[in-house]
Amino acid sequence: MTHPANEAAHRAASDAERVAWVDERDHLLGGLPRAELRGRGLIGRGTFILLFNSRGELCVHRRTLSKAVYPGYWDVAAGGMVGEGESYAESAARELFEELGIAEAPLREHGRFFFDEPGNRLWGAVFSAVSDAPLVLQPEEVMEARFVTLEQAQMLVREKPCCPDSLQALRLYLAAQG
């Protein structure tokens, strides 16, 4: 468990981080601090990475209580906001490494979607990766993680609070798989 002062410092740095700012059609308008984008109800870009192991199990994780959006919720995807000057693919690779410690796993893109909820408006790009490397959790962002079958993931979604934007990403992925 991380120290509360470390979590507060991480959150302040995260809120000051400059992220991609876009319009309703995903046209880039520039970059803004994350907290300003959220506070003004503007639209950013985000990535969602569905991490599977070679048995086809999906990595689910629980977000820390210090997260600004969906604290303590279960999440079916790693990911985060696309940084200013960063592509969706660059962001996906960075986020997968930062949150779960997975590097150099080939990423496959499955499409994009618009998510619009108060405090969380974004264009999301959905990626998947397969890796059996050990998970290395980022303590400021991830409380716990495990691999589950898709059926177990569907049960988790019914029983626990889960990030709605990631659930939309999972639905897009599953629809693309047929």
Side-chain angles (χ1 to χ4, degrees):
M1 182 159 227
T2 58
H3 189 275
N6 292 346
E7 286 188 3
H10 177 77
R11 175 124 176 232
S14 177
D15 281 349
E17 179 183 24
R18 291 183 69 86
V19 297
W21 168 36
V22 297
D23 66 15
E24 285 87 355
R25 294 180 310 281
D26 196 22
H27 295 135
L28 189 62
L29 301 173
L32 290 172
R34 180 192 307 250
E36 181 180 344
L37 185 89
R38 204 172 36 245
R40 291 174 53 194
L42 301 174
I43 302 167
R45 283 181 174 166
T47 53
F48 298 84
I49 307 94
L50 303 165
L51 177 64
F52 294 92
N53 62 23
S54 60
R55 293 184 303 281
E57 296 170 321
L58 176 65
C59 181
V60 297
H61 69 273
R62 188 161 174 234
R63 296 162 62 89
T64 59
L65 299 175
S66 63
K67 296 290 287 178
V69 179
Y70 313 125
Y73 278 43
W74 281 91
D75 207 337
V76 297
M81 299 300 290
V82 175
E84 182 178 20
E86 191 176 42
S87 72
Y88 279 114
E90 290 166 338
S91 172
R94 175 181 53 79
E95 290 287 352
L96 184 59
F97 179 70
E98 285 177 3
E99 289 186 10
L100 300 176
I102 302 298
E104 300 184 27
L107 291 169
R108 232 178 104 208
E109 187 171 351
H110 301 281
R112 297 183 184 168
F113 66 93
F114 182 60
F115 186 82
D116 192 355
E117 180 175 280
N120 188 22
R121 302 181 75 213
L122 58 84
W123 270 97
V126 181
F127 294 85
S128 67
V130 177
S131 176
D132 289 320
L135 299 178
V136 180
L137 308 183
Q138 182 180 28
E140 297 84 7
E141 297 206 18
V142 181
M143 290 172 47
E144 60 181 296
R146 63 177 176 264
F147 283 92
V148 300
T149 65
L150 286 174
E151 293 78 22
Q152 290 169 323
Q154 290 170 337
M155 282 180 19
L156 176 74
V157 166
R158 288 192 297 271
E159 296 171 1
K160 305 280 184 191
C162 293
C163 298
D165 51 358
S166 292
L167 294 178
Q168 190 167 334
L170 179 60
R171 284 191 294 273
L172 189 150
Y173 169 83
L174 292 172
Q177 301 311 299

